Structures are given as C-alpha cells and as structure tokens.
C-alpha cells in the first residue's frame, strides 16, 4: 500500500503522509536498494523489472520511479555508490600484512551470496551496455586502483619496494587472482588462500 506521496513502507499500511508532501523517505529508498541486489541475484539484470523490485521491497512502482527513471539508472546509481564508498587502504606496517588484510576483506565481499551472483551478471551485461561498463570500471577498477596505489606507496616508504615501480602492473598482480576466482573459477577457496596469495604477491611486487 502506498501513501499520499506514492511512497510505501514495508509492513506498514493505512498511514498517509500530509497532503502535498514530496519527501523521499530514506527507509523506502534503502528497502528498494536492498531489493535491487536481491532481484539481481535471483533473476539477473536482463530479467529484472521495476515491478519485481517494487514487489520485493514492499512498495508501489511509483516509489521506485520517483527515485530512478529506469532499471538501468537504478543499477548505475547503486554501482556508483559502491565506488564512492571505496575500500580503506590497509596499514598493518608490512607489505605482506597489508596484502593479507586486503585479500581477506575482498574475499569475504566477493563470497557473499548476493555479490557472487550480481558481479558476474553485471560484467556480462557490461559487454552489451556501455553505461554499465563505465560504472563497473569506476566501481571495480578505480576503487581497487586507489587501494593498490596506497599499499605500494606505503611499502615504498618503508623500503619494502623500490620507488617508481609500475603501479598498473602492481594492480594486475594484486587484484587479478581474486576476481579470477570470483568470476571465472567460482569455486570454494582454501582457508589459507589469502595468506599464500599475499606471500606470493609480495614476492612478485618485490621483483618488479
């Protein structure tokens, strides 16, 4: 059920906002965002619909359209929000420790049931939709690039890496294996994988 503004709150019926009110309620917005991720994981981008999102969020379609004019803009907004949030650069005091923490945090995120379904689907859709490709580039590549640059700079300042090494190549070494496992292999990860990957990557970075 929606109120006088076209908004609807999950589980809440019979209440109406003051006539003429046009405030977009944050609880409704968050319910819709959550529903988008769940719907993407359940049916994929191609089959996802505003109707399905609204139904899952417990609101009317109007509540969705008041915020985003299409499912494409909705997904682009969410992906861009992830890019803005970013990932803090680890600072454990050692290169290997920074890499290990990065891998542990990223691995947990990529193993999340929703993320593990959404990321591969959006990567496939990006090949057909330039706007999604651009948003994913920002969310996945630029975010990781900032973290990689920070880890490399810290290690160089400590004397663990040489100054001026190729940051782009360092990013490939640091991030490639995790996304390979998440998108291509899509299988269980050994418990000690972050530790072994951190040691191997640190050795590779020192060789650059």
């Amino acid at each position: 059920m929606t109120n006088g503004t076209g908004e609807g709150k999950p589980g809440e019926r019979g209440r109406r906002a003051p006539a003429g009110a046009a405030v977009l309620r944050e609880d409704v917005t968050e319910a819709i965002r959550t529903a988008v991720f769940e719907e993407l994981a359940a049916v994929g981008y191609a089959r996802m619909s505003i109707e399905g999102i609204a139904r899952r969020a417990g609101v009317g379609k109007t509540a969705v359209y008041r915020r985003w004019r299409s499912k494409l803009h909705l997904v682009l907004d969410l992906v861009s929000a992830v890019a803005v949030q970013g990932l803090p650069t680890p600072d454990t005091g050692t290169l290997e420790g920074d890499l290990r923490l990065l891998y542990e945090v990223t691995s947990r995120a990529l193993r999340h049931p929703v993320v593990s379904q959404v990321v591969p689907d959006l990567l496939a859709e990006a090949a057909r939709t330039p706007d999604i490709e651009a948003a994913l580039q920002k969310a996945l590549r630029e975010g990781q690039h900032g973290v990689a640059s920070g880890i490399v700079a810290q290690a160089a300042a400590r004397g663990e890496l040489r100054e001026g090494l190729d940051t782009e190549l360092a990013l490939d070494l640091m991030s490639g294996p995790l996304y390979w496992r998440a998108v291509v292999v899509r299988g269980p990860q050994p418990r000690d994988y972050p530790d072994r990957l951190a040691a191997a990557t640190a050795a590779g970075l020192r060789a650059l």
Side-chain angles (χ1 to χ4, degrees), residues 6-47:
E7 301 276 280
K9 182 177 180 180
E12 182 177 65
R13 296 178 180 274
R15 296 184 181 180
R16 289 182 175 273
V23 176
L24 298 180
R25 287 167 36 185
E26 186 60 29
D27 60 332
V28 175
T29 301
E30 287 305 311
I32 295 170
R33 285 174 172 151
T34 298
V36 171
F37 284 114
E38 293 175 349
E39 193 74 358
L40 275 171
V43 304
Y45 178 82
R47 295 176 57 198

Side-chain angles (χ1 to χ4, degrees), residues 126-200:
R128 300 183 289 270
T129 309
D131 287 342
I132 290 183
E133 180 182 18
L136 285 176
Q137 280 284 326
K138 183 174 182 62
L140 299 179
R141 188 181 184 284
E142 292 186 14
Q144 289 288 325
H145 190 281
V147 174
S149 298
I151 290 176
V152 169
Q154 290 170 175
R158 292 190 296 258
E160 295 181 272
L161 295 176
R162 69 174 180 84
E163 297 283 353
L165 64 78
D166 186 340
T167 304
E168 290 296 324
L169 185 55
L171 175 60
D172 291 344
L173 286 173
M174 294 163 67
S175 302
L178 289 180
Y179 287 98
W180 169 265
R181 278 194 166 269
V183 177
V184 180
V185 177
R186 296 174 63 83
Q189 175 179 293
R191 186 181 298 273
D192 64 343
Y193 184 72
D195 292 335
R196 292 190 293 115
L197 182 58

Side-chain angles (χ1 to χ4, degrees), residues 44-133:
Y45 178 82
R47 295 176 57 198
M48 187 177 75
S49 65
I50 296 297
E51 290 80 0
I53 293 167
R55 184 168 55 251
R56 193 178 288 271
V59 301
K61 289 189 297 182
T62 302
V64 181
Y65 282 120
R66 283 171 66 85
R67 292 163 172 80
W68 301 279
R69 63 179 183 268
S70 70
K71 72 173 185 177
L72 173 61
H73 290 92
L74 203 167
V75 170
L76 292 177
D77 178 63
L78 294 185
V79 170
S80 298
V82 171
V84 171
Q85 291 174 7
L87 178 70
T89 301
D91 189 7
T92 64
T94 68
L95 173 60
E96 195 166 323
D98 290 349
L99 291 170
R100 184 183 303 110
L101 183 56
L102 172 66
Y103 293 149
E104 288 172 352
V105 172
T106 307
S107 292
R108 281 198 300 271
L110 292 175
R111 288 199 306 269
H112 188 281
V114 173
V115 174
S116 65
Q117 293 294 323
V118 169
V119 171
D121 184 63
L122 287 182
L123 287 173
E125 190 62 35
R128 300 183 289 270
T129 309
D131 287 342
I132 290 183
E133 180 182 18

